Amino acid sequence: MPDITLTTLILLCLAAAAAGWIDAVVGGGGLLLLPALLLGLPHVPAAHVLGTNKAVAIVGTSGAAVTFLRKAPVRVGLAVRIGLMALAGSMTGAFFAAGISSEVLRPVIMVVLLGVAAFVLLRPSFGTAAAGDGTDRPVTRARIITAIVLVGGGIGFYDGLFGPGTGTFLVLALTAVLHLDLVTASATAKIVNVCTNAGALAMFAYQGTVLWQLAAVMAVFNLAGGMIGAKMALSRGSGFVRAVLLTVVFSLVAKLGFDQWNG
C-alpha cells in the first residue's frame, strides 16, 4: 500500500465505486478512475498507476458482465472472439505503456473525450433502437471480421496503452459495426472489456507495476458500483444510457480542461 492519507484512500474508493457504475452503464469508467489515481498518487510512476487501474477495473467489469449476461441478449460466442483479439491487443499495448509518463495522459484523455462527445452529438438517434433488436438483424461476415480485428485488436491495444474510455469506445464501435442497441452493445462490451483488462493486467503484473493492496480495497467499491450500474442500464434502456454517456463525457472534459489550463 502506498503512503497515502485516509482521506485520499476514501476518495479513491468513492471514485472506484462511481467509475464502476459509469463503466457498467456506458463504459469508460477509467475516464474517472485513472485521473483520480493520478491525482491521488502524484508521486507514483505512471506505469504503476495504469497497472493498479487495471487491477481495480477488471473486478467491476466482471461483475457487470455477469449481471448483464443474466438478462441482456448477447451473442456470447462473438463477444468472446472479439475479446480474445482484444486481449492480445491489450497485452501489446501494455508492453509499450511502461514508457508513458503521467504528463502525456491528461491531454490524450481530453482529445479522446472530445471525439466521443462530437460523435454522439452528431448522431442523436445512435443506439436508441429497442433493446434486443441488434440480435435479430443479420450481420455480414465482413462486419464480424471488422468487429474482431479492428474493434477487438485496435481498441484492445488502446486499452493496454492508455485505458481511459475503452468501454465507451467499445459500446460506440459495436453499435456502429454490428447494429446493436446501446444496452446490448454495453453488455457485449463488458465481456470484451474483461478480456482487455485481463491481458493488460497480466502484462502489468509481469512487469511488477501493480499496487495490489490498494487495488484490492478499491476493487470492492468498483464491483458494487458496476453491479448497480448494470441493473440500472437493463431496467431503464438505451435512452438512459445515452443521457449518462453525454453527461459523463462533458463533465470530464470540463474538469480535465480546467486542470490542464490551471495546472
Side-chain angles (χ1 to χ4, degrees):
M1 179 79 75
D3 185 17
I4 58 176
T5 66
L6 179 60
T7 299
T8 299
L9 179 60
I10 292 173
L11 291 174
L12 287 175
C13 288
L14 292 175
W21 187 89
I22 293 168
D23 200 46
V25 177
V26 294
L31 291 168
L32 173 61
L33 186 56
L34 183 57
L37 284 166
L38 287 170
L39 291 171
L41 307 172
H43 304 299
V44 172
H48 286 73
V49 172
L50 291 167
T52 303
N53 174 62
K54 289 302 172 196
V56 175
I58 193 172
V59 177
T61 302
S62 298
V66 171
T67 303
F68 271 120
L69 284 174
R70 290 174 178 172
K71 295 184 179 180
V74 181
R75 292 187 176 102
V76 177
L78 178 57
V80 170
R81 280 183 285 168
I82 298 172
L84 290 175
M85 178 63 77
L87 186 150
S90 67
M91 291 185 72
T92 305
F95 177 79
F96 290 102
I100 299 297
S101 66
S102 300
E103 287 72 20
V104 306
L105 291 177
R106 188 182 294 161
V108 168
I109 294 170
M110 287 181 62
V111 171
V112 166
L113 281 167
L114 289 171
V116 170
F119 182 87
V120 175
L121 281 175
L122 291 172
R123 298 288 300 274
S125 62
F126 182 77
T128 57
D133 285 354
T135 60
D136 299 327
R137 299 178 187 177
V139 179
T140 65
R141 183 177 179 81
R143 286 185 175 272
I144 291 176
I145 294 174
T146 298
I148 294 173
V149 177
L150 295 184
V151 178
I155 296 179
F157 179 82
Y158 168 82
D159 189 35
L161 185 64
F162 293 115
T166 295
T168 304
F169 292 141
L170 283 171
V171 171
L172 294 172
L174 290 169
T175 302
V177 175
L178 298 179
H179 302 306
L180 303 177
D181 64 272
L182 283 172
V183 173
T184 304
S186 187
T188 305
K190 293 298 153 293
I191 298 174
V192 178
N193 214 176
V194 169
C195 294
T196 65
N197 283 338
L201 179 59
M203 184 59 66
F204 284 124
Y206 174 76
Q207 295 173 338
T209 55
V210 180
L211 303 174
W212 292 108
Q213 290 181 312
L214 176 61
V217 175
M218 295 176 64
V220 174
F221 291 84
N222 192 252
L223 175 62
M227 296 184 72
I228 292 170
K231 291 178 180 178
M232 291 182 68
L234 285 167
S235 64
R236 300 193 181 188
S238 294
F240 169 72
V241 174
R242 185 176 186 275
V244 173
L245 174 62
L246 288 172
T247 301
V248 168
V249 167
F250 282 114
S251 297
L252 288 168
V253 166
K255 182 187 184 306
L256 289 173
F258 178 83
D259 293 340
Q260 179 70 15
W261 281 292
N262 290 276

mmCIF file of all heavy atoms in Angstrom, residues 22-70:
data_model
loop_
_atom_site.group_PDB
_atom_site.id
_atom_site.type_symbol
_atom_site.label_atom_id
_atom_site.label_comp_id
_atom_site.label_asym_id
_atom_site.label_seq_id
_atom_site.Cartn_x
_atom_site.Cartn_y
_atom_site.Cartn_z
ATOM 1 N N ILE A 22 -20.353 3.949 -13.818
ATOM 2 C CA ILE A 22 -20.247 4.534 -15.155
ATOM 3 C C ILE A 22 -19.855 3.479 -16.177
ATOM 4 O O ILE A 22 -20.412 3.390 -17.281
ATOM 5 C CB ILE A 22 -19.210 5.680 -15.157
ATOM 6 C CG1 ILE A 22 -19.705 6.849 -14.314
ATOM 7 C CG2 ILE A 22 -18.900 6.147 -16.580
ATOM 8 C CD1 ILE A 22 -18.645 7.891 -14.025
ATOM 9 N N ASP A 23 -18.874 2.654 -15.813
ATOM 10 C CA ASP A 23 -18.375 1.650 -16.740
ATOM 11 C C ASP A 23 -19.458 0.656 -17.117
ATOM 12 O O ASP A 23 -19.548 0.221 -18.256
ATOM 13 C CB ASP A 23 -17.189 0.917 -16.103
ATOM 14 C CG ASP A 23 -16.321 0.232 -17.139
ATOM 15 O OD1 ASP A 23 -16.013 0.872 -18.158
ATOM 16 O OD2 ASP A 23 -15.949 -0.938 -16.929
ATOM 17 N N ALA A 24 -20.308 0.303 -16.163
ATOM 18 C CA ALA A 24 -21.380 -0.641 -16.436
ATOM 19 C C ALA A 24 -22.453 -0.038 -17.339
ATOM 20 O O ALA A 24 -23.000 -0.712 -18.210
ATOM 21 C CB ALA A 24 -22.012 -1.110 -15.129
ATOM 22 N N VAL A 25 -22.750 1.236 -17.154
ATOM 23 C CA VAL A 25 -23.833 1.875 -17.910
ATOM 24 C C VAL A 25 -23.396 2.227 -19.331
ATOM 25 O O VAL A 25 -24.066 1.886 -20.310
ATOM 26 C CB VAL A 25 -24.345 3.141 -17.190
ATOM 27 C CG1 VAL A 25 -25.418 3.841 -18.025
ATOM 28 C CG2 VAL A 25 -24.894 2.781 -15.822
ATOM 29 N N VAL A 26 -22.255 2.917 -19.457
ATOM 30 C CA VAL A 26 -21.838 3.393 -20.782
ATOM 31 C C VAL A 26 -20.401 3.034 -21.117
ATOM 32 O O VAL A 26 -19.926 3.339 -22.200
ATOM 33 C CB VAL A 26 -21.988 4.931 -20.894
ATOM 34 C CG1 VAL A 26 -23.433 5.336 -20.836
ATOM 35 C CG2 VAL A 26 -21.176 5.648 -19.831
ATOM 36 N N GLY A 27 -19.684 2.411 -20.199
ATOM 37 C CA GLY A 27 -18.262 2.181 -20.412
ATOM 38 C C GLY A 27 -17.492 3.450 -20.118
ATOM 39 O O GLY A 27 -18.048 4.533 -19.945
ATOM 40 N N GLY A 28 -16.184 3.314 -20.028
ATOM 41 C CA GLY A 28 -15.358 4.494 -19.817
ATOM 42 C C GLY A 28 -15.178 4.873 -18.375
ATOM 43 O O GLY A 28 -14.870 6.035 -18.073
ATOM 44 N N GLY A 29 -15.351 3.938 -17.449
ATOM 45 C CA GLY A 29 -15.131 4.262 -16.048
ATOM 46 C C GLY A 29 -13.705 4.695 -15.777
ATOM 47 O O GLY A 29 -13.446 5.451 -14.832
ATOM 48 N N GLY A 30 -12.780 4.242 -16.618
ATOM 49 C CA GLY A 30 -11.388 4.647 -16.473
ATOM 50 C C GLY A 30 -11.175 6.131 -16.671
ATOM 51 O O GLY A 30 -10.178 6.690 -16.189
ATOM 52 N N LEU A 31 -12.113 6.785 -17.359
ATOM 53 C CA LEU A 31 -12.023 8.233 -17.547
ATOM 54 C C LEU A 31 -12.181 8.968 -16.224
ATOM 55 O O LEU A 31 -11.765 10.117 -16.099
ATOM 56 C CB LEU A 31 -13.096 8.700 -18.532
ATOM 57 C CG LEU A 31 -12.875 8.258 -19.985
ATOM 58 C CD1 LEU A 31 -14.126 8.510 -20.814
ATOM 59 C CD2 LEU A 31 -11.683 8.973 -20.590
ATOM 60 N N LEU A 32 -12.776 8.305 -15.240
ATOM 61 C CA LEU A 32 -12.859 8.857 -13.888
ATOM 62 C C LEU A 32 -11.793 8.245 -12.985
ATOM 63 O O LEU A 32 -11.116 8.951 -12.237
ATOM 64 C CB LEU A 32 -14.245 8.601 -13.294
ATOM 65 C CG LEU A 32 -14.437 8.968 -11.812
ATOM 66 C CD1 LEU A 32 -14.194 10.467 -11.599
ATOM 67 C CD2 LEU A 32 -15.832 8.581 -11.350
ATOM 68 N N LEU A 33 -11.633 6.927 -13.079
ATOM 69 C CA LEU A 33 -10.739 6.222 -12.164
ATOM 70 C C LEU A 33 -9.269 6.575 -12.387
ATOM 71 O O LEU A 33 -8.528 6.815 -11.423
ATOM 72 C CB LEU A 33 -10.935 4.713 -12.311
ATOM 73 C CG LEU A 33 -10.167 3.825 -11.330
ATOM 74 C CD1 LEU A 33 -10.498 4.196 -9.889
ATOM 75 C CD2 LEU A 33 -10.491 2.362 -11.593
ATOM 76 N N LEU A 34 -8.841 6.633 -13.643
ATOM 77 C CA LEU A 34 -7.422 6.922 -13.904
ATOM 78 C C LEU A 34 -7.029 8.336 -13.480
ATOM 79 O O LEU A 34 -6.008 8.513 -12.799
ATOM 80 C CB LEU A 34 -7.087 6.687 -15.372
ATOM 81 C CG LEU A 34 -5.621 6.876 -15.744
ATOM 82 C CD1 LEU A 34 -4.717 5.981 -14.924
ATOM 83 C CD2 LEU A 34 -5.410 6.608 -17.233
ATOM 84 N N PRO A 35 -7.814 9.378 -13.830
ATOM 85 C CA PRO A 35 -7.475 10.712 -13.311
ATOM 86 C C PRO A 35 -7.472 10.772 -11.787
ATOM 87 O O PRO A 35 -6.645 11.468 -11.188
ATOM 88 C CB PRO A 35 -8.567 11.614 -13.906
ATOM 89 C CG PRO A 35 -8.991 10.917 -15.140
ATOM 90 C CD PRO A 35 -8.923 9.452 -14.803
ATOM 91 N N ALA A 36 -8.404 10.043 -11.150
ATOM 92 C CA ALA A 36 -8.448 10.028 -9.678
ATOM 93 C C ALA A 36 -7.159 9.427 -9.122
ATOM 94 O O ALA A 36 -6.592 9.940 -8.148
ATOM 95 C CB ALA A 36 -9.660 9.232 -9.196
ATOM 96 N N LEU A 37 -6.681 8.357 -9.723
ATOM 97 C CA LEU A 37 -5.437 7.733 -9.274
ATOM 98 C C LEU A 37 -4.237 8.643 -9.536
ATOM 99 O O LEU A 37 -3.318 8.731 -8.715
ATOM 100 C CB LEU A 37 -5.235 6.388 -9.978
ATOM 101 C CG LEU A 37 -6.095 5.228 -9.459
ATOM 102 C CD1 LEU A 37 -6.064 4.056 -10.432
ATOM 103 C CD2 LEU A 37 -5.637 4.794 -8.077
ATOM 104 N N LEU A 38 -4.259 9.326 -10.669
ATOM 105 C CA LEU A 38 -3.157 10.244 -10.987
ATOM 106 C C LEU A 38 -3.098 11.393 -9.987
ATOM 107 O O LEU A 38 -2.010 11.815 -9.568
ATOM 108 C CB LEU A 38 -3.315 10.796 -12.410
ATOM 109 C CG LEU A 38 -3.031 9.818 -13.550
ATOM 110 C CD1 LEU A 38 -3.471 10.418 -14.885
ATOM 111 C CD2 LEU A 38 -1.563 9.436 -13.605
ATOM 112 N N LEU A 39 -4.278 11.890 -9.592
ATOM 113 C CA LEU A 39 -4.327 12.985 -8.622
ATOM 114 C C LEU A 39 -4.014 12.500 -7.209
ATOM 115 O O LEU A 39 -3.347 13.184 -6.438
ATOM 116 C CB LEU A 39 -5.709 13.649 -8.651
ATOM 117 C CG LEU A 39 -6.053 14.443 -9.919
ATOM 118 C CD1 LEU A 39 -7.518 14.867 -9.905
ATOM 119 C CD2 LEU A 39 -5.157 15.653 -10.064
ATOM 120 N N GLY A 40 -4.508 11.311 -6.872
ATOM 121 C CA GLY A 40 -4.307 10.794 -5.518
ATOM 122 C C GLY A 40 -2.922 10.225 -5.265
ATOM 123 O O GLY A 40 -2.481 10.150 -4.119
ATOM 124 N N LEU A 41 -2.242 9.823 -6.348
ATOM 125 C CA LEU A 41 -0.899 9.243 -6.230
ATOM 126 C C LEU A 41 0.077 10.023 -7.112
ATOM 127 O O LEU A 41 0.650 9.483 -8.063
ATOM 128 C CB LEU A 41 -0.919 7.768 -6.651
ATOM 129 C CG LEU A 41 -1.950 6.868 -5.966
ATOM 130 C CD1 LEU A 41 -1.982 5.499 -6.629
ATOM 131 C CD2 LEU A 41 -1.661 6.740 -4.472
ATOM 132 N N PRO A 42 0.282 11.300 -6.824
ATOM 133 C CA PRO A 42 1.080 12.155 -7.714
ATOM 134 C C PRO A 42 2.540 11.746 -7.844
ATOM 135 O O PRO A 42 3.197 12.089 -8.842
ATOM 136 C CB PRO A 42 0.947 13.543 -7.076
ATOM 137 C CG PRO A 42 0.682 13.268 -5.627
ATOM 138 C CD PRO A 42 -0.171 12.029 -5.621
ATOM 139 N N HIS A 43 3.081 11.020 -6.866
ATOM 140 C CA HIS A 43 4.490 10.656 -6.898
ATOM 141 C C HIS A 43 4.728 9.204 -7.328
ATOM 142 O O HIS A 43 5.862 8.737 -7.317
ATOM 143 C CB HIS A 43 5.123 10.893 -5.520
ATOM 144 C CG HIS A 43 4.969 12.300 -5.026
ATOM 145 N ND1 HIS A 43 5.492 13.386 -5.703
ATOM 146 C CD2 HIS A 43 4.321 12.807 -3.932
ATOM 147 C CE1 HIS A 43 5.186 14.495 -5.051
ATOM 148 N NE2 HIS A 43 4.476 14.172 -3.989
ATOM 149 N N VAL A 44 3.647 8.525 -7.692
ATOM 150 C CA VAL A 44 3.760 7.134 -8.133
ATOM 151 C C VAL A 44 3.975 7.117 -9.648
ATOM 152 O O VAL A 44 3.299 7.846 -10.381
ATOM 153 C CB VAL A 44 2.481 6.352 -7.768
ATOM 154 C CG1 VAL A 44 2.504 4.957 -8.383
ATOM 155 C CG2 VAL A 44 2.338 6.268 -6.254
ATOM 156 N N PRO A 45 4.913 6.310 -10.161
ATOM 157 C CA PRO A 45 5.157 6.245 -11.611
ATOM 158 C C PRO A 45 3.885 5.903 -12.385
ATOM 159 O O PRO A 45 3.025 5.159 -11.908
ATOM 160 C CB PRO A 45 6.195 5.122 -11.737
ATOM 161 C CG PRO A 45 6.893 5.113 -10.422
ATOM 162 C CD PRO A 45 5.843 5.452 -9.404
ATOM 163 N N ALA A 46 3.784 6.440 -13.594
ATOM 164 C CA ALA A 46 2.577 6.262 -14.401
ATOM 165 C C ALA A 46 2.269 4.794 -14.660
ATOM 166 O O ALA A 46 1.104 4.389 -14.676
ATOM 167 C CB ALA A 46 2.736 7.004 -15.729
ATOM 168 N N ALA A 47 3.298 3.980 -14.880
ATOM 169 C CA ALA A 47 3.077 2.558 -15.158
ATOM 170 C C ALA A 47 2.380 1.875 -13.979
ATOM 171 O O ALA A 47 1.515 1.012 -14.160
ATOM 172 C CB ALA A 47 4.405 1.866 -15.457
ATOM 173 N N HIS A 48 2.740 2.245 -12.738
ATOM 174 C CA HIS A 48 2.097 1.674 -11.559
ATOM 175 C C HIS A 48 0.643 2.145 -11.433
ATOM 176 O O HIS A 48 -0.226 1.385 -10.994
ATOM 177 C CB HIS A 48 2.877 2.053 -10.293
ATOM 178 C CG HIS A 48 4.168 1.315 -10.135
ATOM 179 N ND1 HIS A 48 5.276 1.592 -10.915
ATOM 180 C CD2 HIS A 48 4.521 0.299 -9.299
ATOM 181 C CE1 HIS A 48 6.260 0.782 -10.549
ATOM 182 N NE2 HIS A 48 5.835 -0.001 -9.579
ATOM 183 N N VAL A 49 0.385 3.398 -11.818
ATOM 184 C CA VAL A 49 -0.988 3.907 -11.802
ATOM 185 C C VAL A 49 -1.836 3.143 -12.812
ATOM 186 O O VAL A 49 -2.965 2.721 -12.523
ATOM 187 C CB VAL A 49 -1.005 5.418 -12.114
ATOM 188 C CG1 VAL A 49 -2.444 5.912 -12.286
ATOM 189 C CG2 VAL A 49 -0.321 6.196 -11.000
ATOM 190 N N LEU A 50 -1.291 2.938 -14.020
ATOM 191 C CA LEU A 50 -2.016 2.212 -15.054
ATOM 192 C C LEU A 50 -2.270 0.769 -14.641
ATOM 193 O O LEU A 50 -3.362 0.227 -14.850
ATOM 194 C CB LEU A 50 -1.224 2.249 -16.364
ATOM 195 C CG LEU A 50 -1.127 3.614 -17.059
ATOM 196 C CD1 LEU A 50 -0.077 3.581 -18.151
ATOM 197 C CD2 LEU A 50 -2.475 4.032 -17.616
ATOM 198 N N GLY A 51 -1.273 0.122 -14.058
ATOM 199 C CA GLY A 51 -1.437 -1.254 -13.625
ATOM 200 C C GLY A 51 -2.463 -1.398 -12.522
ATOM 201 O O GLY A 51 -3.291 -2.321 -12.531
ATOM 202 N N THR A 52 -2.442 -0.491 -11.560
ATOM 203 C CA THR A 52 -3.410 -0.518 -10.463
ATOM 204 C C THR A 52 -4.816 -0.257 -10.986
ATOM 205 O O THR A 52 -5.791 -0.884 -10.543
ATOM 206 C CB THR A 52 -3.034 0.536 -9.404
ATOM 207 O OG1 THR A 52 -1.695 0.283 -8.956
ATOM 208 C CG2 THR A 52 -3.983 0.484 -8.219
ATOM 209 N N ASN A 53 -4.931 0.640 -11.939
ATOM 210 C CA ASN A 53 -6.211 0.935 -12.566
ATOM 211 C C ASN A 53 -6.818 -0.326 -13.170
ATOM 212 O O ASN A 53 -8.015 -0.606 -13.022
ATOM 213 C CB ASN A 53 -6.010 2.010 -13.642
ATOM 214 C CG ASN A 53 -7.265 2.270 -14.436
ATOM 215 O OD1 ASN A 53 -8.283 2.690 -13.904
ATOM 216 N ND2 ASN A 53 -7.196 2.017 -15.741
ATOM 217 N N LYS A 54 -5.998 -1.130 -13.848
ATOM 218 C CA LYS A 54 -6.485 -2.367 -14.458
ATOM 219 C C LYS A 54 -6.922 -3.381 -13.405
ATOM 220 O O LYS A 54 -7.915 -4.085 -13.579
ATOM 221 C CB LYS A 54 -5.400 -2.979 -15.344
ATOM 222 C CG LYS A 54 -5.137 -2.211 -16.619
ATOM 223 C CD LYS A 54 -6.398 -2.089 -17.427
ATOM 224 C CE LYS A 54 -6.178 -1.152 -18.615
ATOM 225 N NZ LYS A 54 -7.466 -0.718 -19.200
ATOM 226 N N ALA A 55 -6.154 -3.481 -12.325
ATOM 227 C CA ALA A 55 -6.478 -4.444 -11.273
ATOM 228 C C ALA A 55 -7.819 -4.116 -10.614
ATOM 229 O O ALA A 55 -8.566 -5.020 -10.216
ATOM 230 C CB ALA A 55 -5.368 -4.462 -10.225
ATOM 231 N N VAL A 56 -8.127 -2.840 -10.504
ATOM 232 C CA VAL A 56 -9.412 -2.417 -9.945
ATOM 233 C C VAL A 56 -10.530 -2.636 -10.959
ATOM 234 O O VAL A 56 -11.574 -3.219 -10.652
ATOM 235 C CB VAL A 56 -9.366 -0.928 -9.528
ATOM 236 C CG1 VAL A 56 -10.749 -0.459 -9.065
ATOM 237 C CG2 VAL A 56 -8.336 -0.710 -8.430
ATOM 238 N N ALA A 57 -10.298 -2.195 -12.182
ATOM 239 C CA ALA A 57 -11.349 -2.194 -13.201
ATOM 240 C C ALA A 57 -11.823 -3.583 -13.577
ATOM 241 O O ALA A 57 -13.012 -3.779 -13.859
ATOM 242 C CB ALA A 57 -10.853 -1.458 -14.448
ATOM 243 N N ILE A 58 -10.934 -4.569 -13.591
ATOM 244 C CA ILE A 58 -11.345 -5.908 -14.043
ATOM 245 C C ILE A 58 -12.375 -6.525 -13.103
ATOM 246 O O ILE A 58 -13.242 -7.291 -13.529
ATOM 247 C CB ILE A 58 -10.113 -6.831 -14.186
ATOM 248 C CG1 ILE A 58 -10.502 -8.097 -14.948
ATOM 249 C CG2 ILE A 58 -9.503 -7.169 -12.828
ATOM 250 C CD1 ILE A 58 -9.332 -8.973 -15.317
ATOM 251 N N VAL A 59 -12.337 -6.156 -11.833
ATOM 252 C CA VAL A 59 -13.294 -6.705 -10.870
ATOM 253 C C VAL A 59 -14.699 -6.156 -11.132
ATOM 254 O O VAL A 59 -15.674 -6.905 -11.240
ATOM 255 C CB VAL A 59 -12.850 -6.399 -9.427
ATOM 256 C CG1 VAL A 59 -13.897 -6.902 -8.428
ATOM 257 C CG2 VAL A 59 -11.500 -7.043 -9.140
ATOM 258 N N GLY A 60 -14.797 -4.832 -11.252
ATOM 259 C CA GLY A 60 -16.093 -4.219 -11.515
ATOM 260 C C GLY A 60 -16.658 -4.617 -12.864
ATOM 261 O O GLY A 60 -17.862 -4.870 -13.008
ATOM 262 N N THR A 61 -15.795 -4.688 -13.884
ATOM 263 C CA THR A 61 -16.241 -5.069 -15.217
ATOM 264 C C THR A 61 -16.762 -6.501 -15.234
ATOM 265 O O THR A 61 -17.765 -6.802 -15.889
ATOM 266 C CB THR A 61 -15.078 -4.928 -16.224
ATOM 267 O OG1 THR A 61 -14.611 -3.582 -16.202
ATOM 268 C CG2 THR A 61 -15.531 -5.262 -17.627
ATOM 269 N N SER A 62 -16.091 -7.384 -14.517
ATOM 270 C CA SER A 62 -16.534 -8.781 -14.451
ATOM 271 C C SER A 62 -17.897 -8.887 -13.775
ATOM 272 O O SER A 62 -18.783 -9.633 -14.237
ATOM 273 C CB SER A 62 -15.503 -9.621 -13.687
ATOM 274 O OG SER A 62 -14.255 -9.628 -14.350
ATOM 275 N N GLY A 63 -18.088 -8.142 -12.688
ATOM 276 C CA GLY A 63 -19.375 -8.151 -12.009
ATOM 277 C C GLY A 63 -20.492 -7.634 -12.896
ATOM 278 O O GLY A 63 -21.590 -8.196 -12.937
ATOM 279 N N ALA A 64 -20.217 -6.560 -13.637
ATOM 280 C CA ALA A 64 -21.210 -6.001 -14.552
ATOM 281 C C ALA A 64 -21.515 -6.979 -15.683
ATOM 282 O O ALA A 64 -22.670 -7.132 -16.094
ATOM 283 C CB ALA A 64 -20.701 -4.675 -15.120
ATOM 284 N N ALA A 65 -20.484 -7.658 -16.191
ATOM 285 C CA ALA A 65 -20.675 -8.623 -17.276
ATOM 286 C C ALA A 65 -21.606 -9.750 -16.844
ATOM 287 O O ALA A 65 -22.524 -10.148 -17.583
ATOM 288 C CB ALA A 65 -19.329 -9.190 -17.716
ATOM 289 N N VAL A 66 -21.404 -10.279 -15.647
ATOM 290 C CA VAL A 66 -22.256 -11.350 -15.127
ATOM 291 C C VAL A 66 -23.696 -10.869 -14.985
ATOM 292 O O VAL A 66 -24.652 -11.572 -15.355
ATOM 293 C CB VAL A 66 -21.719 -11.851 -13.771
ATOM 294 C CG1 VAL A 66 -22.722 -12.807 -13.124
ATOM 295 C CG2 VAL A 66 -20.370 -12.540 -13.954
ATOM 296 N N THR A 67 -23.869 -9.647 -14.481
ATOM 297 C CA THR A 67 -25.214 -9.087 -14.316
ATOM 298 C C THR A 67 -25.914 -8.928 -15.654
ATOM 299 O O THR A 67 -27.093 -9.278 -15.808
ATOM 300 C CB THR A 67 -25.132 -7.720 -13.602
ATOM 301 O OG1 THR A 67 -24.477 -7.874 -12.340
ATOM 302 C CG2 THR A 67 -26.527 -7.143 -13.380
ATOM 303 N N PHE A 68 -25.196 -8.417 -16.659
ATOM 304 C CA PHE A 68 -25.771 -8.238 -17.989
ATOM 305 C C PHE A 68 -26.137 -9.576 -18.619
ATOM 306 O O PHE A 68 -27.192 -9.718 -19.259
ATOM 307 C CB PHE A 68 -24.782 -7.505 -18.901
ATOM 308 C CG PHE A 68 -24.911 -6.011 -18.859
ATOM 309 C CD1 PHE A 68 -23.849 -5.217 -18.471
ATOM 310 C CD2 PHE A 68 -26.089 -5.375 -19.239
ATOM 311 C CE1 PHE A 68 -23.942 -3.833 -18.446
ATOM 312 C CE2 PHE A 68 -26.201 -3.992 -19.224
ATOM 313 C CZ PHE A 68 -25.123 -3.217 -18.818
ATOM 314 N N LEU A 69 -25.260 -10.569 -18.498
ATOM 315 C CA LEU A 69 -25.479 -11.850 -19.165
ATOM 316 C C LEU A 69 -26.734 -12.560 -18.695
ATOM 317 O O LEU A 69 -27.294 -13.394 -19.410
ATOM 318 C CB LEU A 69 -24.265 -12.758 -18.953
ATOM 319 C CG LEU A 69 -23.033 -12.426 -19.810
ATOM 320 C CD1 LEU A 69 -21.850 -13.279 -19.411
ATOM 321 C CD2 LEU A 69 -23.341 -12.617 -21.290
ATOM 322 N N ARG A 70 -27.180 -12.236 -17.509
ATOM 323 C CA ARG A 70 -28.386 -12.876 -16.981
ATOM 324 C C ARG A 70 -29.653 -12.404 -17.700
ATOM 325 O O ARG A 70 -30.652 -13.132 -17.739
ATOM 326 C CB ARG A 70 -28.512 -12.589 -15.485
ATOM 327 C CG ARG A 70 -27.460 -13.299 -14.636
ATOM 328 C CD ARG A 70 -27.543 -12.870 -13.190
ATOM 329 N NE ARG A 70 -26.579 -13.580 -12.355
ATOM 330 C CZ ARG A 70 -26.334 -13.295 -11.087
ATOM 331 N NH1 ARG A 70 -27.000 -12.297 -10.502
ATOM 332 N NH2 ARG A 70 -25.455 -13.984 -10.396
#
